[in-house]
Structure formats: C-alpha cells, structure tokens
Amino acid sequence: MLSASDSSHLTQLGTPGVLALLLLFYGGTMWMSVAISRRKENADGYMTAGNRIGFGISAASMTATWIWASSMYASVTAGYTYGVSGPIHYGLWGALMILFIYPFGKRIRAVAPKAHTLAEVMYARHGRSSQLMLAGSNVLGSVISLTSNFIAGGAIIAMLSPLSFGAGILIVAGGVLLYTLWSGFRASVLTDFAQVMAMLGAAAIVIPVIFFAAGGPDMFEAGRAAGTVTPQQESFLSSEAFMNQGAPYIAAVLAYAIGNQTIAQRLFAVREDLIKPTFVTATVGYGATVIGMGMVGVMALYLGVQPLDGDVNNLLPQMAGEYLPVILLALAFVMIVGSLSSTADSDLAALSSIVMADVYGQSVGRDKADPRKMLLIGRITMVVATAAALYFATARFDILDLLVFVGALWGCLVFPVIASFYWKKVTNLAFTVSVLAALAVFIPVRFELIAPTGVWALVVEALSILGVGVVLGIMAFGFFGRRTAVIVGVLATLAVLPFGFGHLRDYAVLSGSLVAYAVSFLVCWGLSVRSRMNFDFDRIRTVTGDFDTRTAAAEAPTGTAHGSAAVASARRLTDNDEGN
C-alpha cells in the first residue's frame, strides 16, 4: 500500500529534468506560435482563424480541448471512487456529448456562419441581457477551467520534482500565456495538433506499462481478497456510480457542449462542411483516451493506494511515479502537461474572444470597432485571466467538483439557447427570466441550503423527474427532430416517475443539474408559447460578422526565415488544412 504522506519512494524527474522538459515543451509551442504570427494580426483571425480550419487540425483541436488534464485527473478520481464503472461513466458520456454537438452545431453555423461567440449570436437574437448572461457564464466557466488546469500542472510538478506547487502553477501559467498571446486562437489550434499526438501516443504506452508493473490481472484478485473494493465498485452496472457520477455528468457535459465557448469557438472556426467528421472523430479519440486513463484510478483502488496528502488530485502522478521508469515518467509528464496546456490555451482564446466581441465589439457596433484596439483588449484579457486563475489555484479545489458545478451551472442556459436557434417565438424576456429562475432554484438544491424534506423535497424531486425528460428530449431533438424529442422526453419522465420520489432527494449533485434543466424549460416555454414574436433568423447574419475587414497581406513571420518550409506548413495547417 502506498503511503498517504510520504513521497520519497516515488521516482522523480528532479528539478533539472522537469525544467528541461518544460523548456522543450513550451519552447516548441512558442516557436510554433511565432511561426504563424503576423505583423498585422487580423482581429477575426485571432478569434476564429477565418472560419476555414480543415479536418485534421480541427478534429485534433477538438479532441485536445476536450481531453484536458482535468479530464484525466477526474477520470482517475472516478475510477478510484466508484470502481470499474467510474471511468466508463465519465469517459463514455463525455464522448457522446461531443457527438451530440454536431447536429446543433450545423444549425448554429447555418444561421450565424461568421459569428465569433454564442453570446454574440444571442445578442443578435435577443439583445444585450441574454448576450451578457451567456458571456458572463463563459467567463466564469473558463476561469474555473483555467484554475483546474493550473492545479493539475502544479500538482504533477510538485510531485515529480523538488519544486513547490506554487512554482509549478507559475511555470505552467507563464508557458501557456506566452505562446497563446502571440496568435490567439490560431496558436491554440495549431499547438493542439502537436499536443494531441503527444497525449494519445503517451497514453497508449503509459497505461499498459503501469498495469503490468502494478501486478497485471493478479492485482484485481489481490484487491478483492484484501477487501479494498466493495461490490458496487466491482460492478460495471453500479447504481452508486451511475447516480453519483454518471447521471450528473450526462447533464453536466450536455451543458458543456452547448454553453462552452471553447467548443463554440472551434465550431465557428472549422469549415462548415467538416463539422460532422470533426466531432465524430473527436468523440472516438476522447472516449478511448479518457476511459483508459481512468483505469489508472481503478488500479489504485484495487492496490489500496492512499492519495498523497489525502488529495485525490495526486493519484495520477503518484501512480506514475510509483510504477514507471524515468523515461516513461518523462513521457507521462509531457502527456499531462500537454493535456492541461491544450485546454488552458483554449480557455484563454475563448475569454479573449468574449471580451473582444461581446464586451467591446458589440457595445460600440461592428462597423465602429477598432481592430487594433480589439487585439489589445484580447491580449490584456489573457493576462488578467491568467492572474485570476493563479490566485484561485492556490485554494486547490477538487477538480471533479469544479467540473460538475460548472456543467450544472450551464444547464440553466441549455434549453433557452437551443430553443433560440430553432423557435421563432422565444423572447428576450423568456430567455432572461428562465435562466435566472433556473439559477435561483439550482443553487439551494445543489448546495442543500434548504433541507430536502417535506414539500420542498417533493418539489425538487418532481422537477428532477421532469429534468430527466428534458435532458433526453434535447438529445433526441438534435438527431431526430421535435416529434421524436417530445416522445422521448415524455417516456423518460414517465419511466422515472415510479421510483424518483423518495430517492432523488438524496443526490444533491444530480438533482441540482436536473432542476436547472426543468425550471429553464418550464419558464422559457411558458413565456414563449403565447408570444407574438416571429423572429427572422436571417437577421442574425446581418448583425454578426467580421469586425476586421482589412485585407491581410502575406507578411514574413516574426523571428523566422521568410521561406521556411516549417512556417509555410504551419500556416497551411491553420488557414486551410491540406487533409481536407
């Protein structure tokens, strides 16, 4: 059994080794960013890369953004907490949510082909209040995401070297900020390609090596004999894992898929005809990698591992340090740093786009926006966001709790956002009030501010049962249309009805997510069904669009030879991937 506090027995890379790997990794990504930099950066290109990213880069970027360090750490935590079904409930539902994005994504791009953010589209659809709600939720979500990735980076650096946690988060934050600051979203998607290749290759090697080094199949029999696992943890059909992990995560990741600007930004950047293959490919890549990483947590459970310092965020680097030789430990280190960096740079690019397009661009008007000022604002946003995430990272929150909380928070927005792209009758009042009402109910349920007893418990359970129908109905709607969605939603609600009352009140995380969906649906539908709104979706095209209409000449990239083949290749990859 590994000690809960002593890390002296773990293999370490040492300060020189860690610094050398970080210099190699961030030096390489910085070189790639500088290689595609432009003397006169285009503001729209900085946000969405001209809306013409090809299949290879876009699929890799989508995969890398979804496979973040927090996903790896949280999947390991799920495996350690819930046993063999934990990683499946985490990775499978997360993968399917990527798949569910594409039908909605095709509709979003059809009505807003040149938009930069979902909030910008909500401005065209409803007005300022709806725009700011969506933008504000994404600012909060991206800062929390940055925070969790910095926590992951600080944890592994502190675990595998004498460097402190504080030094680790500073190094990671500085490295990500420097290369993203140069070229914004274009730097993010290009470096994602290299990062996802490193992640997938490392995962394919590291996971089997840990498995056999830890004892292979014999570890499961030994763990069972030692009593380190419960019957629920041994079961692939664990009800405990489903109710505490799987079901809340289904609701949370659906909200991530629809409300998250890092996903929307890639949706607006990829070529419109490549949306489906991009998201299908990312679905497979994410599911295989994250479920595989979660099995490291299952191994730790059967081995009776105690997380160092009682912190489950330490499990992944702890297992790597215990069972991997130095060379493979270095590979695992690069894998984790690559995964956290790929999402951290996406968060920075998303935050800069929100402030550039929603806070500044639409406030002064698209025709009056100064592209130079927009770029300055975007870069300042990245610096401020990094500083805020560093501050919050010092608290070392549990990563899995952060992910579920943000996903549930976005659940308040899912139905109003989707309805706004399809239903002409949705009004600004319906959107705004439904989100605020859902938030007002979600918070006391999620944090159990009101004891789940009596009439309040019955109300929460009734809304949660309806929420199941809303979630499954939304999923069905994307692929099969309104009629099928209504049938699925009604049948799902009726199926849960017999056993929902008296039980759902015991699962605050799940109930919080479900009531957010239910309340936003009821209020949005109730305020819209009798409205006289008959919105013309063609108006969205005229309100959204490019801010920077300057013709971009071919400039020599800063700090590199003008004729460099590598630079030319980098530019082709970001401007129009050759693999189309």
Side-chain angles (χ1 to χ4, degrees), residues 63 67 95 98 196 200 279-291:
T63 305
I67 304 176
I98 303 176
V196 79
L200 297 181
F279 286 95
V280 170
T281 302
T283 297
V284 176
Y286 172 88
T289 305
V290 172
I291 291 174

Side-chain angles (χ1 to χ4, degrees), residues 36 38 41 44-63 65 109 113-115 183-193 262-279 569-580:
I36 62 169
R38 297 171 177 177
E41 184 67 74
D44 299 297
Y46 195 83
M47 290 187 278
T48 56
N51 310 104
R52 59 181 188 272
I53 297 291
F55 169 70
I57 293 296
S58 58
S61 182
M62 184 68 247
T63 305
T65 298
R109 279 295 294 273
K114 301 288 285 184
S183 301
F185 179 75
R186 291 188 298 111
S188 175
V189 294
L190 179 61
T191 55
D192 280 347
F193 184 83
T262 63
I263 308 303
Q265 199 164 17
R266 280 148 183 79
L267 173 63
F268 289 125
V270 66
R271 258 179 41 191
E272 196 168 346
D273 60 316
L274 297 172
I275 291 174
K276 180 177 179 179
T278 291
F279 286 95
S569 175
R571 283 196 166 165
R572 283 197 301 270
L573 287 171
T574 51
D575 288 341
N576 194 5
D577 183 21
E578 292 180 312
N580 299 341

Side-chain angles (χ1 to χ4, degrees), residues 116-263:
H116 307 86
T117 69
L118 277 177
E120 183 185 2
V121 183
M122 289 301 102
Y123 172 79
R125 178 67 174 84
H126 294 302
R128 196 66 170 162
S129 62
S130 300
Q131 178 196 28
L132 291 179
M133 278 187 173
L134 195 52
S137 69
N138 268 287
V139 168
L140 176 62
S142 289
V143 170
I144 290 177
S145 175
L146 266 179
T147 299
S148 67
N149 279 290
F150 291 167
I151 290 172
I156 190 168
I157 290 173
M159 181 81 65
L160 301 181
S161 77
L163 294 171
S164 68
F165 173 80
I169 61 175
L170 280 173
I171 293 170
V172 169
V176 173
L177 177 63
L178 283 176
Y179 77 78
T180 311
L181 202 63
W182 279 87
S183 301
F185 179 75
R186 291 188 298 111
S188 175
V189 294
L190 179 61
T191 55
D192 280 347
F193 184 83
Q195 289 160 354
V196 79
M197 293 300 103
M199 280 189 282
L200 297 181
I205 296 171
V206 165
I207 298 170
V209 171
I210 292 178
F211 176 75
F212 287 107
D218 292 341
M219 82 174 80
F220 299 114
E221 188 61 40
R224 189 179 298 112
T228 60
V229 292
T230 66
Q232 283 284 318
Q233 289 172 326
E234 287 189 274
S235 172
F236 282 99
L237 301 176
S238 167
S239 59
E240 182 179 324
F242 179 75
M243 295 300 291
N244 287 292
Q245 169 69 49
Y249 199 59
I250 293 172
V253 293
L254 177 59
Y256 265 94
I258 302 303
N260 190 339
Q261 172 58 19
T262 63
I263 308 303

